[in-house]
């Protein structure tokens, strides 16, 4: 670095009404002088930069204050490129000062500072690029429910926790989004998707429930159970969802986050496990990290405690009968509740 001897130093007293007075001095920028002055003016060849100062191991930024130097002094200095958004008065370059008489100043070369800033900008760009490519991870809390609802309305796919496993979710009324889920999982379109609703009272909009004993669904749900019901002619579900099937799997998870999203959307959510088809189910977001980039958002609810068995699937399409299609994580409890409501196991259909 070139010597800083005879560098022009200017200090300004700035008030709300403007510049009261300007004092200009010449001095040698050695340690003694820099410690005695209220601010050290640093003029670098590539531009003026504010420097970080160290005080007992703690680093912080000082506030940047503006000042105006008369043209006769400015003429003795190399050209300074100002980053200020304010316009520069004619003939008066705008520069900054660093004030703090109780701390030592550390001089850093302008070129090194500029290189560091350039590297930082490059690093930030890479971080943004990585975040965009991997999907944005958020905590699975209700503060982010509206964001998730908007993503579903826009036809996007999100990943989120339920009360059993992590799942991929989309608007069940968007055939494009539903197809996107099949593509992400590498799943055959002949494998049906379940739907998720916010409350038990919503189920009758999508499936036939009038043949079930009163209180049965309220006893099973919310909880780790998928009930299979007939869609019926009055179902508001799109025909493109699970075409060729006259039944639908319905979930009301015991999870405030996904239920808030369901209520906010006002429509059914298509839901399936967050994994590649045929691979183990996911109980934390790291289990499907290779699929983050396929999602608009990934909502992190931590490690789910129910294991990888998923929900218990029970067929309730026939009056007075039930059939367990998958034991899942709550078979015993489910069977106990169903039989308490006088349903018997359907043995007519053999597997």
């Amino acid at each position: 670095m070139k010597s800083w001897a005879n560098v022009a130093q200017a200090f300004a007293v700035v008030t709300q009404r403007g510049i009261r007075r300007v004092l200009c001095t010449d001095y040698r920028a050695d340690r003694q002088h820099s410690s005695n002055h209220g601010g050290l003016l640093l003029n670098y060849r590539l531009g003026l930069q504010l420097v970080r100062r160290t005080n007992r191991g703690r680093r912080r930024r000082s506030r940047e204050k503006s000042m105006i130097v008369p043209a006769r002094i400015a003429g003795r200095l190399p050209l300074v490129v100002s980053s200020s958004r304010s316009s520069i008065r004619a003939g008066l370059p705008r520069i900054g000062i660093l004030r703090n008489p109780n701390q030592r100043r550390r001089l850093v070369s302008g070129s090194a500072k500029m290189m560091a800033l350039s590297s930082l900008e490059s690093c930030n760009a890479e971080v943004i690029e990585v975040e965009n490519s991997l999907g944005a991870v958020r905590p699975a809390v209700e503060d982010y429910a509206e964001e998730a609802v908007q993503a579903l309305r826009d036809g996007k796919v999100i990943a989120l926790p339920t009360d059993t496993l992590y799942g991929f979710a989309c608007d069940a009324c968007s055939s494009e989004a539903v197809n996107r889920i099949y593509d992400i999982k590498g799943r055959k379109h002949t494998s049906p998707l379940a739907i998720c609703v916010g409350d038990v009272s919503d189920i009758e909009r999508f499936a036939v429930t009038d043949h079930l004993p009163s209180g049965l669904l309220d006893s099973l749900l919310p909880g780790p159970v998928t009930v299979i019901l007939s869609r019926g002619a009055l179902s508001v579900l799109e025909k493109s969802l699970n075409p060729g099937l006259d039944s639908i799997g319905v979930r009301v998870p015991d999870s405030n986050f996904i239920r808030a999203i369901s209520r906010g959307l006002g429509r059914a959510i298509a839901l399936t496990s967050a994994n590649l088809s045929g691979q183990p189910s996911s109980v934390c977001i790291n289990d499907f990290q290779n699929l983050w980039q396929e999602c608009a958002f990934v909502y992190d609810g931590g490690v789910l405690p129910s294991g990888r068995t998923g929900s218990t699937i029970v067929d309730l399409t026939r009056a007075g009968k039930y059939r367990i299609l998958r034991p899942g994580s709550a078979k015993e409890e489910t069977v106990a509740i169903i039989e308490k409501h006088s349903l018997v196991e359907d043995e007519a259909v053999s597997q």
Side-chain angles (χ1 to χ4, degrees):
M1 183 187 298
K2 293 185 178 180
S3 173
W4 292 98
N6 297 324
V7 175
Q9 171 69 26
F11 296 95
V13 179
V14 183
T15 67
Q16 293 180 350
R17 297 182 179 179
I19 305 297
R20 288 286 182 84
R21 58 192 177 92
V22 177
L23 304 177
C24 300
T25 61
D26 289 345
Y27 69 98
R28 295 184 61 85
D30 56 14
R31 180 177 299 178
Q32 179 179 357
H33 285 85
S34 64
S35 63
N36 291 334
H37 288 283
L40 178 60
L41 180 142
L42 304 178
N43 188 354
Y44 305 129
R45 176 173 299 179
L46 298 180
L48 180 69
Q49 302 290 333
L50 293 177
V51 298
R52 291 181 181 271
R53 294 160 292 112
T54 303
N55 181 21
R56 296 179 182 177
R58 302 180 61 186
R59 304 177 66 188
R60 60 185 179 183
R61 290 187 181 279
S62 64
R63 295 181 178 178
E64 182 183 2
K65 296 184 178 180
S66 299
M67 63 177 295
I68 298 176
V69 181
R72 62 185 180 83
I73 295 179
R76 300 171 57 186
L77 303 175
L79 179 62
V80 176
V81 180
S82 173
S83 60
S84 173
R85 294 191 299 178
S86 304
S87 59
I88 300 177
R89 296 187 182 182
L92 300 178
R94 190 182 183 97
I95 59 177
I97 62 173
L98 191 65
R99 291 186 180 274
N100 195 332
N102 297 323
Q103 296 183 4
R104 295 176 58 186
R105 279 75 177 174
R106 183 178 55 161
L107 302 181
V108 182
S109 70
S111 58
K113 186 72 172 181
M114 294 292 285
M115 290 175 63
L117 291 174
S118 176
S119 298
L120 181 59
E121 291 175 359
S122 176
C123 180
N124 288 339
E126 292 177 0
V127 169
I128 293 173
E129 181 179 355
V130 169
E131 180 177 344
N132 289 339
S133 65
L134 295 181
V137 178
R138 304 278 195 270
V141 294
E142 292 186 49
D143 290 343
Y144 289 98
E146 183 56 37
E147 173 190 74
V149 169
Q150 188 58 52
L152 297 183
R153 287 174 179 165
D154 293 339
K156 305 294 181 59
V157 174
I158 63 174
L160 74 177
T162 67
D163 54 351
T164 53
L165 304 169
Y166 277 84
F168 291 135
C170 72
D171 184 354
C173 294
S174 171
S175 58
E176 182 178 351
V178 169
N179 289 332
R180 177 68 176 151
I181 283 186
Y182 280 105
D183 292 341
I184 292 173
K185 288 179 63 70
R187 183 175 184 172
K188 295 180 180 179
H189 284 67
T190 54
S191 299
L193 298 181
I195 63 170
C196 169
V197 296
D199 297 285
V200 175
S201 59
D202 295 329
I203 297 177
E204 62 184 16
R205 297 171 52 203
F206 308 99
V208 177
T209 62
D210 53 9
H211 65 291
L212 297 175
S214 176
L216 173 59
L217 291 180
D218 290 297
S219 298
L220 291 173
L221 303 169
V225 180
T226 300
V227 294
I228 307 297
L229 298 168
S230 298
R231 293 172 72 149
L234 300 180
S235 175
V236 299
L237 284 175
E238 293 289 331
K239 300 299 183 183
S240 58
L241 181 67
N242 304 336
L245 292 180
D246 59 0
S247 61
I248 186 69
V250 184
R251 288 221 60 201
V252 185
D254 188 12
S255 167
N256 291 334
F257 182 61
I258 190 171
R259 294 180 68 190
I261 296 172
S262 300
R263 295 187 188 109
L265 183 63
R267 298 190 292 271
I269 294 176
L271 186 65
T272 185
S273 58
N275 61 317
L276 290 173
S277 184
Q279 298 297 313
S281 301
S282 302
V283 294
C284 68
I285 62 172
N286 288 336
D287 287 344
F288 60 98
Q289 186 172 356
N290 58 319
L291 301 175
W292 287 4
Q293 70 272 13
E294 308 293 345
C295 305
F297 298 104
V298 175
Y299 294 98
D300 186 1
V303 178
L304 303 181
S306 62
R308 301 182 189 273
T309 55
S311 63
T312 297
I313 302 178
V314 56
D315 185 344
L316 297 177
T317 56
R318 298 185 62 189
K321 304 286 185 178
Y322 78 91
R323 180 169 173 244
I324 300 296
L325 301 182
R326 184 176 73 185
S329 60
K331 178 184 175 181
E332 293 182 2
E333 298 89 336
T334 300
V335 169
I337 292 172
I338 291 174
E339 293 185 349
K340 183 179 180 181
H341 286 80
S342 302
L343 272 69
V344 296
E345 186 172 6
D346 187 0
E347 299 177 354
V349 181
S350 59
Q351 190 69 355

